[in-house]
Amino acid sequence: EVQLVESGGGLVQPGGSLRLSCSASGFNFSSYAMHWVRQAPGKGLEYVSTITSNGGSTYYADSVKGRFTISRDNSKNILYLQMSSLRAEETAVYYCVKGKYSTSSGGFGPWGQGTLVTVSS
Amino acid sequence: DIQLTQSPSSLSASVGDRVTITCQASQDITSHLNWYQHKPGKVPELLIYDVSTLQTGVPARFTATGSGTHFTLSISSLQPDDSATYYCQQFHNIPNFGGGTKVE
């Protein structure tokens, strides 16, 4: 069974940094692209970032480009999202999501339970 | 950037009704479209991928069609368990999601 467990969320001040982690199990982690998707309170789903299976390619939403960095450690089955210069409007539940293929294409799923990031002074 | 416009934003229907949700893309995305179901208190789930392929375990009352810029998701006989917000998502370019359709 695929399991994705996010951690690292919490309260951070505007302009601050935070690193999210996602520990994966139940599948061959190094064979699949991985994604981050977020959902602000009362809002819809917002795509954040993708990393291909071997980490060779990364993709970002325009809203986070230059401030967020996605990475992965295939030896430890862990996905990361380093976030900096955080803004209040980025308060959201951040989901770690398994890709359908090794590349950025295809469906997103399964999803982790999410970790809440609150950006507030 | 590719914009995805879903309509309606919400709908209320009765058990057994047929409901249809539309997703309009701002440019041609060929067949690079998925649908997700997000129930209250749960995590989102992939419902349909590549326009019309049902994810394993999804009931056959869900169908989806489309190509290019116009896509639809239909539920042939609405069940109480189908109450959720439905999102379309494109992966033709940098992925993004539609605004969602809440089905009650």
Side-chain angles (χ1 to χ4, degrees), chain B:
Chain B
D1 290 2
I2 298 173
Q3 307 301 318
L4 296 177
T5 303
Q6 284 185 238
S7 60
S9 56
S10 65
L11 67 89
S12 182
S14 300
V15 173
D17 284 352
R18 179 181 181 85
V19 302
T20 297
I21 299 167
T22 297
C23 178
Q24 186 81 25
S26 60
Q27 65 187 73
D28 188 347
I29 59 172
T30 63
S31 60
H32 298 149
L33 189 99
N34 306 314
W35 290 94
Y36 299 84
Q37 180 189 61
H38 192 188
K39 296 180 180 179
K42 300 276 186 78
V43 299
E45 292 187 352
L46 177 63
L47 195 67
I48 292 172
Y49 61 96
D50 296 344
V51 176
S52 60
T53 304
L54 267 62
Q55 182 71 348
T56 302
V58 173
R61 62 180 180 272
F62 289 90
T63 58
T65 63
S67 66
T69 62
H70 188 79
F71 302 87
T72 61
L73 170 67
S74 296
I75 309 172
S76 61
S77 178
L78 194 67
Q79 300 300 306
D81 189 52
D82 300 334
S83 291
T85 300
Y86 294 84
Y87 296 91
C88 59
Q89 177 230 355
Q90 65 81 20
F91 56 97
H92 188 70
N93 283 346
I94 298 297
N96 66 309
F97 292 86
T101 296
K102 187 174 184 178
V103 175
E104 295 175 319

Side-chain angles (χ1 to χ4, degrees), chain A residues 27-44:
Chain A
F27 65 103
N28 187 359
F29 181 73
S30 62
S31 294
Y32 295 91
M34 295 295 295
H35 314 280
W36 288 99
V37 177
R38 66 188 179 188
Q39 184 173 35
K43 302 292 187 181

Side-chain angles (χ1 to χ4, degrees), chain A residues 38-84:
Chain A
R38 66 188 179 188
Q39 184 173 35
K43 302 292 187 181
L45 301 176
E46 181 185 13
Y47 169 79
V48 175
S49 184
T50 294
I51 187 167
T52 54
S53 60
N54 63 2
S57 295
T58 57
Y59 307 89
Y60 299 93
D62 286 344
S63 59
V64 307
K65 199 175 299 181
R67 299 184 299 117
F68 288 17
T69 302
I70 191 172
S71 62
R72 64 191 297 161
D73 185 337
N74 284 348
S75 68
K76 296 180 179 177
N77 291 358
I78 301 177
L79 174 72
Y80 300 102
L81 184 68
Q82 178 69 47
M83 306 183 293
S84 61

